[in-house]
């Protein structure tokens, strides 16, 4: 790897972490399974300028969709599949006992789906606005209704878009109790909100009936809502100048969030269960599956068929995370005053549940996947829930609502948010300029061979990440050739980056026992050691080395841990840490070394055990953990778990460390470079069932070592 010099003064933060708008007039039309339309410039004005959204009773009869007052020549029965597809539903609104309360209700739902071609509009061009008109299929009532107005869609990247399928609810062109099986639909896509509906081609589109019940927070579920009576059009921003000014997305899209089978009024434990598994995946710690988490939270939150009380949701969430040793801090944020902080938390990898009070009764708690703020002070909030509670099926559906600055929206009120954060020392999700401010490298003059950031924008690594949207590239030159910002060549034999905290930090709070970080290497790297140096506020310091030199060459994310007790043994006061140093090389040797580049991500304080249990549960599912001293390396699930090391020929021996009986196995894996891994599995079955664990291991010249663990509940 050739050395490189960067002129930090010429670097700019060109990374696009949120979409930026461009000045194109109208976008070419995207969709639809339901119909395709190109926004026109000569469009009839919307009648009855109402100054705030379409009145619920307005049927749109004066809208001239195609310039011929409802002429049929533009109608087309053919189902087009151009880009985005949309499906339409009529909701059978269920009561709290899950019997139909409003069968064939007036509530319609549009669900959008993407095939990837929409990235030009929804990712690269800063988003687009969806507008929908519908007409009854009854030729005696072909009066157009503008049912979805200025639904704004934007995504941070194409994979996120591909895993999203937002839905909105609107009033169907029908009479109460009328079974709607098809209707005329026209959809227009523009790059800015419209105050009048453009000309559109409409298509006869099927409508599918489906049951609907969700919610169950602070008083009951959707069966207590009057939305089937008050439903009107879905209305977003009203004026062309009402543009998005801020965005926040979860790190994973809704399609990547674990599905949960919710019991009636089980929204509170379900939303928290999705959140906990999401946070574990995003931040690299282990959790149970979302459905198992839901079962535990259902009990801890005192949830029953009537739902979950306000206070019990927070208490139950904290009890579950504490009982299971999860590094999650939870708080309730009431009202809309601090929604900016909520958006910042989502961007930083936190998870948030929206807390809704429906009119006149009932409520909801659901996991938020995105929030968009507009220049008029309103918000679009998208959340995930199970739309048909009590049906025995695990399901996720995205719902998008448009919320006014005071928290109101048609059908309810946003009461607040439950915010869950995973405390980290650094997740490297900030822009590069801020990171250069927080971390000092050799180029900035700390006298070492470290250089933060790629040479080309966006400088941070956005393709290979462990969590979040980016990781930190750290170039090291221990051959003494790095030139710093002043042009000096200090001749460094180690490479260090340093973070000085604005206030000393207490690293004993919460009783952590390790400092952990994630690292990704490169085969071209020169093998070197990695170390951490801590400085306390009383002048003490200590250095702890870890990892084999081969770790810097592995092209996979590896967790490295540094035992905090080892720092304390050197006299470091862990209650008063003011400087953290990450280093590559030998801090005690002083001899020239090599060069390379590694990626770093998610530095945190954690509690870790010497081993990890594999639990046989009701279905005899087990988790297999391999630990290199105190950190997880691999995890496998299933009644039979196989770990195959065929891609690594450096294992010397696999053996059973000691006989722990039928219910627990502990293997010892010895590497040729002297490292020792431990595999421990303990079986626990429900009730009085007996759990039998078995461990088999073998060596093959071609396949390498194979370890098989089996679990049975009898």
């Amino acid at each position: 790897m050739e050395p490189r010099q960067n002129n930090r003064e010429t670097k700019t933060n060109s990374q696009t972490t949120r979409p930026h708008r461009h000045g194109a007039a109208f976008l070419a039309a995207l969709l639809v399974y339901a119909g395709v339309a190109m926004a026109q410039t000569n469009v009839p004005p919307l009648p009855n300028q109402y100054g705030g959204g379409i009145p619920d009773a307005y049927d749109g009869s004066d809208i001239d969709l195609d310039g011929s007052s409802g002429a049929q020549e533009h109608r087309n029965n053919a189902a087009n599949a151009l880009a985005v597809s949309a499906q339409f539903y009529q909701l059978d609104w269920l009561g709290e006992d899950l019997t139909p309360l409003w069968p064939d209700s007036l509530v319609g739902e549009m669900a959008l789906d993407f095939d990837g071609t929409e990235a030009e509009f929804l990712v690269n061009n800063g988003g687009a606005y969806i507008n929908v008109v519908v007409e009854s299929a009854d030729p005696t009532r072909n009066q157009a209704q503008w049912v979805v107005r200025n639904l704004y869609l934007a995504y941070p990247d194409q994979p996120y878009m591909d895993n999203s399928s937002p839905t909105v609810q609107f009033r169907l062109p029908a009479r109460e109790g009328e079974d709607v099986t098809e209707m005329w639909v026209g959809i227009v896509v523009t790059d800015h909100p419209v105050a009048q509906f453009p000309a559109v081609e409409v298509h006869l589109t099927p409508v599918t009936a489906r049951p609907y019940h969700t919610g169950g927070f602070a008083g009951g579920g959707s069966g207590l809502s009057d939305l089937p009576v008050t439903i009107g059009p879905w209305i977003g921003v009203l004026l062309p100048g009402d543009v998005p000014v801020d965005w926040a997305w979860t790190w994973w899209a809704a399609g990547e969030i674990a599905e949960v089978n919710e019991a009636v009024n089980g929204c509170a434990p379900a939303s928290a269960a999705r959140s906990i598994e999401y946070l574990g995946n995003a931040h690299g710690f282990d959790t149970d599956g979302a459905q198992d988490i839901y079962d535990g939270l259902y009990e801890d939150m005192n949830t029953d068929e009537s739902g979950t009380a306000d206070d019990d949701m927070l208490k139950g969430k904290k009890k579950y995370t504490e009982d299971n040793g999860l590094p999650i801090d939870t708080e309730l944020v009431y009202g809309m005053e601090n929604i900016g902080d909520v958006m910042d938390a989502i961007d930083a990898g936190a998870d948030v549940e929206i807390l809704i009070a429906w009119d006149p009764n009932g409520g909801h708690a659901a996991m938020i996947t995105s929030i968009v703020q507009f220049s008029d002070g309103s918000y679009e909030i998208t959340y995930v829930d199970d739309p048909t509670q009590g049906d025995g099926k695990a399901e996720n559906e995205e719902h998008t609502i448009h919320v006014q600055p005071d928290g109101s929206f048609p059908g309810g009120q946003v009461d607040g948010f439950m915010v869950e954060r995973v405390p980290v020392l650094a997740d490297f999700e900030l822009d590069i300029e801020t990171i250069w401010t927080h971390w000092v490298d050799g180029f900035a003059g700390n006298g070492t061979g470290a250089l933060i950031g790629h040479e080309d924008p966006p400088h941070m690594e956005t393709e290979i990440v462990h969590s979040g949207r980016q990781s930190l590239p750290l170039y090291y030159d221990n051959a003494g050739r790095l030139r710093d910002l002043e042009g000096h060549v200090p001749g460094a034999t180690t490479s260090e980056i340093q973070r000085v905290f604005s206030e000393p930090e207490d690293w004993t709070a919460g009783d952590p026992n390790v400092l952990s970080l994630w690292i990704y290497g490169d085969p071209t790297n020169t093998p070197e050691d990695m170390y951490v140096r801590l400085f306390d506020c009383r002048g003490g310091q200590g250095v702890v080395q870890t990892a084999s030199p081969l770790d810097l060459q592995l092209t996979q994310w590896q967790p490295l841990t540094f035992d905090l007790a080892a720092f304390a043994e050197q006299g470091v006061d862990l209650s008063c840490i003011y400087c953290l140093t990450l280093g590559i090389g030998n801090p005690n040797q002083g001899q020239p070394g090599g060069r390379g580049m590694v990626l770093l991500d998610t530095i945190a304080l954690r509690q870790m055990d010497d081993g990890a249990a594999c639990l046989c549960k009701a279905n005899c599912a087990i988790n297999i953990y391999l630990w290199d001293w105190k950190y997880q390396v691999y995890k496998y699930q299933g009644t039979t778990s196989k770990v195959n090391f065929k891609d690594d020929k450096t294992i010397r021996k696999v053996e059973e460390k000691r006989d722990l009986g039928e219910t627990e196995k502990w293997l010892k894996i010895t590497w040729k470079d002297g490292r020792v891994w431990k595999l421990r599995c303990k079986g626990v079955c429900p009730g009085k069932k007996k759990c039998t664990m078995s461990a088999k291991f073998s060596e093959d010249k071609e396949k390498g070592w194979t370890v098989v663990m089996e679990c049975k509940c009898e």
Side-chain angles (χ1 to χ4, degrees):
M1 179 179 297
E2 293 300 319
R4 62 183 183 84
Q5 305 296 327
N6 280 336
N7 185 350
R8 178 125 340 141
E9 294 176 346
T10 66
K11 290 184 178 180
T12 59
N13 177 29
S14 61
Q15 181 184 15
T16 303
T17 57
R18 293 175 174 168
H20 296 282
R21 303 192 54 73
H22 298 283
F26 280 97
L27 300 177
L30 292 179
L31 41 129
V32 164
Y33 167 83
V36 180
M38 181 67 178
Q40 305 294 321
T41 55
N42 297 319
V43 295
L46 185 72
N48 183 21
Q49 293 302 316
Y50 38 83
I54 301 174
D56 290 348
Y58 177 61
D59 63 7
S61 57
D62 295 323
I63 297 179
D64 185 2
L65 294 180
D66 55 86
S68 56
S69 299
Q72 297 286 323
E73 58 264 26
H74 291 298
R75 294 181 175 169
N76 188 347
N77 283 328
N80 297 317
L82 294 182
V84 176
S85 65
Q87 294 182 337
F88 290 84
Y89 300 93
Q90 181 180 31
L91 302 185
D92 289 326
W93 204 270
L94 304 182
E96 295 298 271
D97 60 357
L98 298 186
T99 60
L101 186 60
W102 282 287
D104 297 327
S105 76
L106 292 174
V107 182
E109 187 172 82
M110 177 181 71
L112 297 174
D113 196 15
F114 309 114
D115 68 2
T117 59
E118 312 80 14
E120 176 185 355
F121 309 107
L122 304 185
V123 178
N124 301 331
N125 206 40
Y129 295 83
I130 310 296
N131 287 273
V132 182
V133 292
V134 299
E135 294 182 38
S136 171
D138 184 344
T140 66
R141 292 188 288 125
N142 59 341
Q143 296 174 334
Q145 298 182 34
W146 189 356
V147 296
V148 177
R149 179 177 183 183
N150 296 325
L151 168 63
Y152 175 73
L153 298 177
Y155 299 100
D157 52 49
Q158 182 167 334
Y160 200 105
M161 180 191 72
D162 293 342
N163 283 284
S164 299
S165 181
T167 72
V168 293
Q169 294 177 351
F170 59 89
R171 187 185 186 97
L172 289 167
R175 299 184 178 95
E176 186 175 340
E178 179 183 349
D179 182 16
V180 179
T181 59
E182 59 184 5
M183 61 186 177
W184 295 97
V185 178
I187 300 181
V188 173
V189 183
T190 66
D191 74 338
H192 61 268
V194 296
Q196 56 189 29
F197 200 90
V200 61
E201 185 176 279
V202 293
H203 294 247
L204 195 60
T205 303
V207 178
T208 304
R210 60 177 294 184
Y212 185 83
H213 187 282
T214 191
F217 176 65
S222 57
L224 302 177
S225 166
D226 62 6
L227 189 64
V229 177
T230 63
I231 184 72
W234 191 98
I235 302 174
V237 291
L238 298 173
L239 301 175
D242 296 337
V243 296
V245 295
D246 200 5
W247 297 258
W249 294 279
T250 50
W251 291 356
W252 272 267
E256 302 169 294
I257 303 300
E259 296 179 334
V260 177
N261 174 20
E262 299 183 22
V264 61
N265 289 328
C267 67
S271 61
R274 293 182 180 94
S275 165
I276 290 174
E277 183 171 287
Y278 163 76
L279 291 174
N281 291 334
H283 295 278
F285 60 86
D286 184 53
T287 70
D288 288 337
Q291 195 65 48
D292 290 333
I293 299 173
Y294 169 81
D295 293 340
L297 287 169
Y298 195 93
E299 180 178 350
D300 289 342
M301 292 183 177
N302 297 317
T303 304
D304 57 26
E305 292 184 353
S306 65
T308 306
D310 192 340
D311 291 343
D312 284 341
M313 183 175 180
L314 179 61
K315 292 177 182 177
K317 176 71 174 292
K318 288 186 174 182
K319 182 179 187 303
Y320 182 90
T321 55
E322 291 172 1
D323 289 350
N324 289 273
L326 301 178
I328 298 174
D329 293 337
T330 304
E331 66 170 333
L332 282 177
V333 178
Y334 291 102
M336 296 286 289
E337 293 80 5
N338 297 308
I339 192 171
D341 295 337
V342 171
M343 295 176 69
D344 290 341
I346 292 174
D347 272 340
D351 184 70
V352 177
E353 280 85 68
I354 187 172
L355 307 178
I356 292 172
W358 280 320
D359 296 331
N361 295 301
H364 196 20
M367 176 181 172
I368 292 176
T369 56
S370 69
I371 302 178
V372 180
Q373 180 185 4
F374 293 91
S375 56
D376 66 351
S378 65
Y379 299 85
E380 265 188 20
I381 301 178
T382 300
Y383 58 83
V384 176
D385 62 16
D386 182 346
T388 316
Q389 294 174 334
D391 65 350
K393 299 178 182 178
E395 186 178 1
N396 282 350
E397 185 174 80
E398 293 177 76
H399 295 280
T400 298
I401 58 176
H402 190 85
V403 180
Q404 297 305 312
D406 63 356
S408 63
F409 66 94
Q413 175 80 28
V414 176
D415 277 351
F417 308 90
M418 190 163 77
V419 182
E420 297 95 357
R421 295 179 175 88
V422 176
V424 296
L425 297 174
D427 56 16
F428 304 116
E429 294 300 308
L430 302 172
D431 62 85
I432 189 65
E433 297 290 347
T434 304
I435 288 175
W436 283 330
T437 301
H438 287 177
W439 293 88
V440 179
D441 60 7
F443 184 75
N446 72 1
T448 75
L451 180 65
I452 292 174
H454 293 314
E455 183 171 8
D456 298 324
H459 307 302
M460 296 294 286
E461 175 60 42
T462 58
E463 296 295 327
I464 304 174
V465 298
H466 171 255
S467 63
R469 301 193 185 114
Q470 58 188 33
S471 57
L472 178 75
L474 173 58
Y475 289 81
Y476 63 95
D477 183 349
N478 294 338
R481 285 172 286 185
L482 179 74
R483 190 180 300 274
D484 65 21
L485 187 62
E486 302 297 328
H488 302 143
V489 182
T493 59
T494 59
S495 298
E496 296 182 350
I497 58 174
Q498 298 160 328
R499 171 78 187 273
V500 177
F501 301 107
S502 57
E503 295 289 339
E505 297 202 347
D506 183 1
W507 284 16
T508 65
D511 298 322
N513 55 14
V514 297
L515 171 70
S516 70
L517 65 90
W518 290 81
I519 184 172
Y520 189 102
D522 189 293
T524 65
N525 287 343
T526 302
E528 296 275 8
D529 290 329
M530 192 162 187
Y531 60 91
V532 167
R533 189 191 308 272
L534 295 181
F535 298 84
D536 66 28
C537 61
R538 296 176 175 80
Q541 63 173 290
V543 178
V544 174
Q545 293 176 256
T546 192
S548 161
L550 292 176
D551 287 338
L552 301 188
Q553 296 181 326
L554 292 181
T555 55
Q556 65 184 43
W557 283 107
Q558 311 160 74
L560 303 184
T561 58
F562 301 83
D563 192 346
L564 293 180
F567 293 103
E569 291 172 357
Q570 299 176 57
V572 176
D573 184 351
L574 295 174
S575 68
C576 192
I577 300 298
Y578 90 91
C579 180
L580 165 65
T581 297
L582 306 179
I584 295 177
N586 190 324
N588 303 313
Q589 181 173 296
Q591 298 296 319
R595 293 172 293 165
M597 189 278 293
V598 296
L599 302 175
L600 304 179
D601 211 343
T602 313
I603 305 174
L605 300 174
R606 294 283 184 261
Q607 285 183 333
M608 290 191 176
D609 300 325
D610 289 337
C614 291
L615 302 180
C616 288
K617 299 187 178 176
N619 61 354
C620 197
I622 62 174
N623 293 329
I624 298 291
Y625 296 88
L626 280 172
W627 292 74
D628 184 347
W629 296 105
K630 291 188 177 181
Y631 60 83
Q632 179 180 333
V633 180
Y634 297 107
K635 173 186 173 184
Y636 292 84
Q637 294 181 323
T639 56
T640 300
S641 297
K642 178 185 291 186
V643 184
N644 194 320
F645 299 98
K646 63 181 179 181
D647 57 346
D648 197 315
K649 303 295 198 260
T650 60
I651 293 179
R652 176 181 294 136
K653 189 176 183 181
V654 179
E655 57 190 321
E656 189 158 352
K657 188 172 183 180
R658 61 175 181 264
D659 186 3
L660 299 175
E662 291 184 329
T663 62
E664 186 170 0
K665 299 296 178 183
W666 192 343
L667 304 185
K668 179 180 179 181
I669 302 174
T670 306
W671 294 69
K672 291 182 179 179
D673 63 4
R675 288 180 296 165
V676 176
W677 286 10
K678 293 179 287 185
L679 185 156
R680 186 177 184 182
C681 205
K682 182 178 181 180
V684 177
C685 285
K688 298 182 179 180
K689 291 185 178 180
K690 178 183 178 182
C691 181
T692 302
M693 300 293 303
S694 65
K696 302 176 182 178
F697 39 89
S698 60
E699 182 180 20
D700 185 279
K701 292 183 179 180
E702 298 297 327
K703 296 182 179 180
W705 283 92
T706 298
V707 179
V708 177
M709 302 294 293
E710 291 184 331
C711 161
K712 294 182 180 180
C713 289
E714 300 173 335

